[in-house]
């Protein structure tokens, strides 16, 4: 059931704006792609009546990188590196999504230790992503200091990633069949230190925003959407959960062993900017719980599958096993072949439903790779969320959806 | 002849305070903000970053002066000047200390603190700056600048009323529009204690008048890129910057004069030269407060700002004037 206000007809899109703009009654304002608060290179065409938004047309494609197309020209293992660069705040999450899809396509096993480590690091990544969101969201509302506090904590997480993989952002740490290598010494202490420090820091952010009348005034009732509308346009992630629907793939369709962890899916009821904030803040707490549980139960054992047809052998074997040399050579020159067929595997990214569609054709390179990215789908909500609000609210609405433009234009 | 010399010296002193103060206020703000935000702030140019304002000034001087093709050239150049001049003029009526006697000649500290309409003069001059901003927004011929200009004109006109009402409290109490008289009347007790509501109204209205956070709608970076000065670069941009920070200083001086006892402090009677020091200490306190607010608070929304100005601040100001007036009449 479409609400009258959310109908965007083809005509409207073709002309982009209403008749009033043609007659000069309303002002057309181009916001972006170079604008401080469009979170990258998003361009919005605004039709304004005074400062009130009559129409808002998002325009994307300024960060098109051709990642999906590029991946078709690489072997399955090499294509992994490109996923880091898609949603650059959820690198490990993208790795995970892609690895799970490849593993499903070629029916590859993942050892339990690798699964738990994947969950642990993905949840840390979720916290890091939400921290960047919180910082930029607050910055868009001119609460300057929160931004720097958030980045201070994010730096801890980045350090942990660097410890594991040698990279802060483009980690490529998850590989089909497990991990690149085992966790380093000192990982446990580093994560425990973060766990003990972070709850107090969360308190700090909340004391600056949650009960702040100025903040509540800027966000309550701004950009509200109902569950029904949200589902119609494919809104997922915290924005959907803020409308009251506890849909999270980690519980709805568990992957990588999420079903073994004890955590809650936070929801809110109004679906406005403030609720999206509340949901994300609570998600950080829940992620912290998952990280703690994962760290406590971290099983011993290998971190890569023993299936030598897909996972290269350890270097130590190369010196005395001819078979290992052959596997190594084959995997690093040709790569492994995947059978003809396709898989679609959705996971829960910090922004919502991230799905990887892979189609194999029996060769070592994928025939088609496609990502259903949450930022892209969520961006559709901006015209609906912003209609009738002020320009100042638009900034809050954009940031409350947390779009990552690298995720929009693959 | 000697009068002329005195005025010249005093004028030079005031201009130095505003311009030098502006330069070092930017540094002060950046350093203080940095501490709030767990950063260090600029500390490379000179000891403690003390040469940073000079480096910034030189950089801005050598920047290319761009005038957009579509801009109204005359107004575009004039706007920063109109904005910055009133700021310097504002300081003329601030009394910096009790009168001195130098070589048997009575010398006032400050240019014209005894001006008999001092308070009105401040209100009148402060209003001129809004023209600069509106003209800048209009002459740039850019939509963002225009939105910024419109916002600021509405904001400044609205808050001028509340600001004016906040002035009335001290004026009534001192029974004078003369700034020096108002300070002298605060010798026993600062007016902030007699006029707490008035002081709060003054604080809020003056920050709004300054376009400072959390009321910095006109230049809301996240919404309007830079508001009315979006199209300005180089020294013309620096002039807007100077106007904003100079006005911060001027308003702090006015607040200290009207509500915080001006130059009064221990031993000022015996040693009048201490007066300016106390005054500057109070001004620094005010400036710190403004920076603190900027580091902490999110920005208000434009329509809420207007509603707050007209529906809360203005009635409150009127009530304050009414109560103050009645009490003065009742208690003699």
């Amino acid at each position: 059931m479409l609400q009258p206000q959310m109908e965007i007809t083809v005509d409207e899109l073709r002309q982009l704006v209403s008749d009033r703009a043609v007659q000069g009654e309303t002002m057309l304002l181009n916001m972006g792609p170079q604008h401080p608060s469009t979170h990258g290179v998003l361009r919005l065409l605004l039709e304004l009546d005074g400062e009130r938004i009559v129409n808002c047309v998002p325009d994307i494609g300024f960060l098109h990188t051709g990642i999906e197309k590029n991946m078709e020209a690489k072997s399955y293992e090499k294509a992994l590196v490109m996923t880091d660069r898609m949603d650059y705040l959820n690198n490990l999450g993208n790795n995970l999504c892609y690895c799970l899809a490849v593993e499903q396509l070629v029916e590859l096993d993942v050892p339990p230790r690798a699964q738990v480590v994947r969950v642990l690091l993905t949840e840390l990544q979720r916290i890091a992503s939400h921290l960047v969101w919180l910082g930029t969201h607050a910055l868009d509302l001119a609460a300057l200091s929160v931004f720097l506090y958030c980045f201070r904590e994010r730096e801890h997480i980045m350090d942990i990633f660097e410890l594991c993989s040698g990279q802060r952002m483009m980690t490529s740490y998850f590989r089909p069949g497990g991990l690149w290598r085992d966790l380093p010494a000192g990982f446990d202490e580093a994560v425990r230190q973060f766990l003990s420090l972070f709850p107090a820091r969360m308190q700090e952010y909340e004391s600056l925003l949650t009960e702040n009348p100025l903040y509540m005034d800027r966000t309550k009732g701004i950009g509200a959407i109902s569950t029904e509308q949200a589902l119609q346009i494919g809104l997922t992630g915290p924005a959907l959960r803020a409308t009251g629907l506890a849909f999270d793939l980690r519980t709805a369709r568990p992957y990588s062993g999420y079903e073994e962890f004890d955590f809650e899916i936070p929801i809110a009821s109004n679906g406005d900017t403030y609720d999206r904030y509340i949901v994300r803040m609570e998600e950080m707490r829940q992620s912290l719980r998952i990280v703690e549980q994962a760290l406590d139960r971290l099983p011993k054992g290998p971190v890569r599958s023993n299936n030598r047809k897909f996972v290269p052998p350890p270097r130590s074997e190369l010196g005395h096993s001819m078979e290992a040399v052959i596997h190594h050579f084959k995997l690093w020159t040709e790569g492994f072949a995947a059978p003809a067929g396709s898989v679609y595997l959705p996971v829960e990214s910090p922004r919502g439903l991230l799905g990887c569609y892979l189609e194999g054709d029996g060769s070592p390179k994928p025939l088609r790779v496609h990502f259903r990215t949450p930022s892209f789908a969520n961006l559709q909500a901006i015209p609906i969320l912003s209609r009738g609000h002020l320009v100042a609210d638009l900034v809050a609405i954009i940031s409350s959806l947390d779009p990552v433009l690298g995720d929009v234009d693959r | 002849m000697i009068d002329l010399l005195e005025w010249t010296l005093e004028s030079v002193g005031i201009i130095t305070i505003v311009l030098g103060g502006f330069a070092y206020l930017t540094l002060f703000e950046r350093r203080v903000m940095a501490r709030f935000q767990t950063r260090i702030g600029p500390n490379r140019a000179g000891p403690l970053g003390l040469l940073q304002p000079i480096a910034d000034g030189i950089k801005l001087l050598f920047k290319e002066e761009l005038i957009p093709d579509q801009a109204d050239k005359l107004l575009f150049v004039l706007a920063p000047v109109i904005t910055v001049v009133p700021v310097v003029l504002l300081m003329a009526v601030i009394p910096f200390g009790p009168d001195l006697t130098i070589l048997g000649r009575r010398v006032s500290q400050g240019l014209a603190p005894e001006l008999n309409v001092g308070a009105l003069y401040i209100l009148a001059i402060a209003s001129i700056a809004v023209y600069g901003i509106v003209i800048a927004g209009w002459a740039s011929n850019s939509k963002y600048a225009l939105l910024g200009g419109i916002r600021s004109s509405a904001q400044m006109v609205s808050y001028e009323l509340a600001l004016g009402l906040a002035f009335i409290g001290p004026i009534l109490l001192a029974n004078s529009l003369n700034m020096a008289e108002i300070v002298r009347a605060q010798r026993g007790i600062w007016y902030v204690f007699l006029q707490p509501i008035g002081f709060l109204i003054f604080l809020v209205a003056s920050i709004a008048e300054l376009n400072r956070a959390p009321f910095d709608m006109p230049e809301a970076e996240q919404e309007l890129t830079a508001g009315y000065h979006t199209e300005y670069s180089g020294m013309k941009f620096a002039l807007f910057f100077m106007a904003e920070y100079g006005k911060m200083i001027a308003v702090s001086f006015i607040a200290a004069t009207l509500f915080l006892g001006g130059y009064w402090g221990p031993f000022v009677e015996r040693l009048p030269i201490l007066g300016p020091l106390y005054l500057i200490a109070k001004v620094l306190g005010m400036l710190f407060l403004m920076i603190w607010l900027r580091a902490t608070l999110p920005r208000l929304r434009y329509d809420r700002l207007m509603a707050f100005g007209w529906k809360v601040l203005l009635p409150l100001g009127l009530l304050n004037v009414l109560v103050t007036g009645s009490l003065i009449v009742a208690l003699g």
Side-chain angles (χ1 to χ4, degrees), chain A residues 7-19 55 57:
Chain A
E7 277 181 17
I8 305 168
T9 62
V10 179
D11 271 343
E12 209 175 346
L13 275 179
R14 193 185 301 145
Q15 298 165 1
L16 293 179
V17 287
S18 73
D19 291 341
N55 239 323
V57 185

Side-chain angles (χ1 to χ4, degrees), chain A residues 27-32 35-37 48 51 139-145 148-149 152 208 212 214-215 217-218 222 390-393 395, chain B residues 33 35-39 143-144 146-148 150-151 213-214 216 221-226 294-304:
Chain A
M27 181 170 91
L28 293 180
L29 184 69
N30 180 45
M31 191 169 169
H35 188 279
S37 48
L48 299 176
E51 284 210 30
L139 190 66
D140 281 346
L141 298 177
L144 304 175
S145 301
L148 286 134
Y149 300 152
R152 177 184 58 186
L208 277 167
N212 185 337
L214 286 181
Y215 179 74
D217 191 51
R218 286 296 304 272
I222 304 299
L390 300 170
V391 178
D393 296 330
V395 170
Chain B
M33 286 272 285
R35 297 321 298 178
F36 277 118
Q37 298 171 340
T38 66
R39 296 184 287 124
K143 287 168 183 172
Y144 283 110
L146 183 64
L147 278 177
I150 293 171
R151 278 182 176 196
D216 53 347
E221 185 199 319
Q222 289 80 4
E223 298 149 27
L224 303 179
T225 55
R294 177 166 175 217
T296 312
L297 293 178
R299 181 183 301 122
L300 247 76
R301 213 174 62 194
Y302 173 65
D303 58 326
R304 297 301 165 99

Side-chain angles (χ1 to χ4, degrees), chain A residues 162-399:
Chain A
E162 191 176 2
L163 197 64
C164 297
S165 67
Q167 289 281 334
R168 286 155 44 84
M169 288 176 80
M170 308 302 166
T171 52
S172 298
Y173 186 58
F174 302 163
R175 302 286 166 89
L179 307 174
W180 173 50
R181 45 174 73 162
D182 205 352
L183 294 175
F187 175 81
D188 198 80
E189 295 90 273
V191 178
R192 293 239 183 253
Q193 198 193 356
F194 177 76
L195 284 174
S196 64
L197 170 126
F198 193 61
R201 295 285 162 86
M202 285 275 299
Q203 212 78 45
E204 221 171 80
Y205 316 142
E206 296 224 75
S207 70
L208 277 167
L209 294 175
T210 309
E211 296 286 318
N212 185 337
L214 286 181
Y215 179 74
M216 288 161 82
D217 191 51
R218 286 296 304 272
T219 52
K220 278 205 164 167
I222 304 299
I225 190 166
S226 69
T227 310
E228 205 173 32
Q229 279 179 312
L231 287 174
Q232 276 168 355
I233 52 169
L235 198 66
T236 48
L240 176 63
R241 291 192 281 277
T243 67
L245 184 69
F247 174 76
D248 189 318
L249 282 166
R250 290 176 294 171
T251 54
R253 205 170 148 183
Y255 51 89
S256 197
Y258 266 109
E259 64 276 9
E260 290 160 26
F261 293 93
D262 175 29
F263 63 101
E264 280 147 36
I265 303 300
I267 56 166
S269 51
N270 299 324
D272 57 13
T273 302
Y274 186 73
D275 280 2
R276 292 193 273 275
Y277 161 80
I278 294 288
V279 164
R280 284 203 181 88
M281 292 305 267
E282 191 51 38
E283 269 185 33
M284 283 201 257
R285 293 219 167 80
Q286 297 298 335
S287 292
L288 216 57
R289 277 178 67 190
I290 299 176
V291 170
E292 197 162 14
Q293 291 170 37
L295 203 59
D296 288 341
R297 74 162 61 151
L298 205 59
K300 296 263 183 292
V303 292
R304 306 175 110 183
S305 164
N306 244 340
N307 191 338
R308 291 290 149 78
K309 297 295 169 204
F310 298 105
V311 180
R315 277 212 88 84
S316 56
E317 277 182 29
L318 294 184
H320 52 80
S321 162
M322 190 58 214
E323 205 182 350
V325 175
I326 294 168
H327 279 137
H328 186 268
F329 179 74
K330 283 290 278 180
L331 280 173
W332 288 119
T333 50
E334 189 189 13
F336 57 81
S342 64
V343 291
Y344 173 72
L345 199 129
V347 301
E348 188 72 25
S349 102
R351 270 155 280 284
L353 189 152
L354 170 69
C356 176
Y357 173 83
L358 261 184
E359 195 169 335
D361 58 354
S363 76
K365 289 171 184 171
L367 180 68
R368 176 80 175 101
V369 187
H370 174 69
F371 283 93
R372 185 268 181 218
T373 51
S375 302
F376 179 76
N378 289 0
L379 215 54
Q380 296 181 90
I382 285 183
I384 297 157
L385 295 177
S386 62
R387 199 157 294 172
H389 287 296
L390 300 170
V391 178
D393 296 330
L394 178 66
V395 170
I397 290 169
I398 298 172
S399 63

Side-chain angles (χ1 to χ4, degrees), chain A residues 69-79 82 364-366:
Chain A
K69 190 69 189 163
N70 255 322
M71 286 170 84
E72 292 171 14
K74 296 185 188 310
S75 68
Y76 284 96
E77 186 140 52
K78 287 176 187 165
M82 310 220 66
K365 289 171 184 171

